[in-house]
Amino acid sequence: MAASLGLPLNFKVGVDNAIFSVDPAQNRLLVLLVMRESEPFLGQWSLPGTLVRHGESLEDAAYRILSEKIQVQNLYLEQLYTFAGPGRDPRELSDSQPLRYLSVSYFALVRFEEAQLMGTGVRGIAWYPLDEVPHLAFDHNRMVEYGHRRLRNKLEYSPIAFDVLPELFTLSELYQLYATVLGENFSDYSNFRAKILKLGFLSDTKMKVSRGAGRPAALYRFDAEAFAPLKDKPLVFI
Amino acid sequence: MAASLGLPLNFKVGVDNAIFSVDPAQNRLLVLLVMRESEPFLGQWSLPGTLVRHGESLEDAAYRILSEKIQVQNLYLEQLYTFAGPGRDPRELSDSQPLRYLSVSYFALVRFEEAQLMGTGVRGIAWYPLDEVPHLAFDHNRMVEYGHRRLRNKLEYSPIAFDVLPELFTLSELYQLYATVLGENFSDYSNFRAKILKLGFLSDTKMKVSRGAGRPAALYRFDAEAFAPLKDKPLVFI
DNA sequence: GCAAAAGTGTTCTTCATACACCCATGA
DNA sequence: TCATGGGTGTATGAAGAACACTTTTGC
């Protein structure tokens, strides 16, 4: 190490995605894992990742792996955190010249019902409930933690829920999403309802939909124009 | 470009610091800029930055440049955002082999009174009021913007103010810090005072201090133990 | 005594919380 | 007609905003 201090240090740069989704049927918060098919950590679960290619931005790379693993029409994606400590990838040691592996993690939220996992049974890819995530390759467990924290914050302070709901949705679908992500100590349905309607960016389409038994629910639509003035304001949906 | 698509892509990785401070005398929010002493962008203002060295983590590198530019005892520092788009550094073009320049930006808040700028008049280094920041090298203006947003959020939701105040401080010093960063549409002094005291993590030292004319102010101390249970809670100081 | 800075208290309104209750549908 | 999910209303207390007022100092 001491001998290499003067040498120019190069990096390999990868992108890893922490992709979250909510299964509305089971009310569970899920994260997408893939089985590693090469060394290091062959056969271990990990986040879907890739090395950044020529002419490609970090975000491009993030979208590329995402679309290689699942097909979705709607999603929210943003940069999460960058990990680059020495020793985070075992390949550093085996390389002849000084090299480090840096990974920029991205956070994504996708719609569960429309997400099509790519690859047949042979290729390991699966949704894992957040409280059953196994030990992952590299520092990917930390990425999942960071992502989970970001998800909760984003949901409270910004309208990412509407990037991931169908264009028309009922207020209980919206409530289920919030309650699943934010946990049990969340506002009750009737207060949530009153609060979010008062904010004024949900427009009633006057259409109704019946989900099994019970009174049919009104379908709402997110009104981006009405939301615009609230942007960057300390909105709290909780 | 097309020809190099199959080649392995290596990166140089740098760290750039957006270092903020508040001048209590002038009630101004400042950011630290340095004059570039080498190509590219020779002679242009920029954020203090460095390439990451062997065996050094990103955070190590961030602390290293920081301490090369200013001396402080107390500071708050955290990772901000990673920039790596193709074409962000002109050196990419001149290099013979495919190479990209990635920069991880860090956000720091330091105490103005104790910050000693390193370097004599020859080396360009200066505090700039945030609304007078000139056109900077690379994408550093975006880093300043990101940092400014982070500063406002952090101040509202976490106790970074106390990392940057003297151990003993008056409530108006605390108020000045908040008001300078968060702007004029901030809570008035008496409401701020009542609110923050009710939170219960400021302990009155019973000491008084006189700053010129007027009634002497009580000196308070941040009580980390009393604050601990409030950690991660949606604290809002505003 | 007066200005200046620190500190206290009061009023009014808005919002959060915890409920109870009514409505429309399927089985 | 009853269970089920959707939707409305209300009482209570806590929190926010605006502002008047008192206290303690220097000059």
Side-chain angles (χ1 to χ4, degrees), chain A residues 183-198:
Chain A
E184 285 316 308
N185 46 357
F186 182 59
S187 157
D188 85 343
Y189 176 64
S190 103
N191 291 326
F192 173 79
R193 191 187 160 79
K195 182 165 185 179
I196 206 146
L197 285 177
K198 199 165 12 174

Side-chain angles (χ1 to χ4, degrees), chain A residues 152-166:
Chain A
R152 279 173 298 183
N153 288 334
K154 276 281 154 178
L155 208 65
E156 288 186 47
Y157 301 122
S158 64
I160 60 169
F162 309 106
D163 288 322
V164 99
L165 281 173

